[in-house]
Amino acid sequence: MSESQPHLLDTKIPPLVVLLLHMLLSWGLAQVAGYVIVAESLKVGGAVVLSAIGIVVALAGVWAFRRHNTSVDPVHIDKASTLVTGGVYHFTRNPMYVGFLCLLIAQNWYLGSPAGALAVLSFIAYMTRFQIKPEERFLLKTYGQAYRDFLSTTRRWL
């Protein structure tokens, strides 16, 4: 099946659910594969900093959408009414997903789980294939050259 053709999973599972499933996977991998012993202050401090970054970046994306009166519903991408390219969208086309990624990395940092990197990679792969690429197809069809220009100046993740 071509990536340009819709897939059964395209934009069907809310990204927050995808994040929670990957957090569960990450926790399970830590239980099975073990963890690295790290000073508690480093574990907690790193997890707090990464989580704070993730929350701020994700909320900046939501705030930008709200300011432009467009939908933040990632399952019903056809509800989008405006192409948002300013604010945090100067740095990433997907700040909400980058924020979620930071939360997953924060969890792995706290768990001290090198195996958790598999969950991180799986999250990136899933989100890119089943959420971001379908959104990109829709936005390209809807906003044409304006979205092509955005694609050429702003990275998908970071």
Side-chain angles (χ1 to χ4, degrees):
M1 173 180 283
S2 166
E3 282 194 28
S4 64
Q5 294 177 340
H7 186 278
L8 177 66
L9 292 175
D10 284 356
T11 71
K12 296 297 185 258
I13 302 174
L16 183 58
V17 172
V18 174
L19 171 64
L20 294 174
L21 290 171
H22 279 85
M23 287 180 134
L24 185 60
L25 171 63
S26 179
W27 178 82
L29 289 168
Q31 302 310 303
V32 172
Y35 53 90
V36 176
I37 297 174
V38 178
E40 192 69 19
S41 60
L42 188 59
K43 246 175 43 166
V44 172
V48 167
V49 168
L50 287 166
S51 294
I53 291 169
I55 290 167
V56 167
V57 170
L59 289 178
V62 171
W63 183 68
F65 272 30
R66 296 282 188 213
R67 261 187 354 167
H68 288 88
N69 296 317
T70 192
S71 174
V72 296
D73 184 350
V75 175
H76 300 101
I77 57 178
D78 57 328
K79 291 182 180 181
S81 60
T82 305
L83 178 61
V84 180
T85 60
V88 71
Y89 288 88
H90 281 297
F91 306 102
T92 174
R93 296 194 310 257
N94 299 288
M96 293 174 236
Y97 307 150
V98 169
F100 286 177
L101 179 62
C102 287
L103 292 173
L104 183 58
I105 293 170
Q107 177 196 21
N108 282 304
W109 181 273
Y110 182 78
L111 293 172
S113 172
L118 296 174
V120 170
L121 294 174
S122 173
F123 178 80
I124 292 168
Y126 182 92
M127 290 300 295
T128 298
R129 171 58 184 93
F130 297 111
Q131 190 65 44
I132 295 171
K133 287 188 176 185
E135 288 175 0
E136 289 174 346
R137 286 192 299 271
F138 170 79
L139 293 169
L140 192 56
K141 182 178 171 187
T142 304
Y143 298 106
Q145 189 59 46
Y147 190 66
R148 276 189 199 85
D149 293 344
F150 183 52
L151 288 173
S152 70
T153 60
T154 308
R155 292 175 185 243
R156 179 180 282 153
W157 286 94
L158 283 178

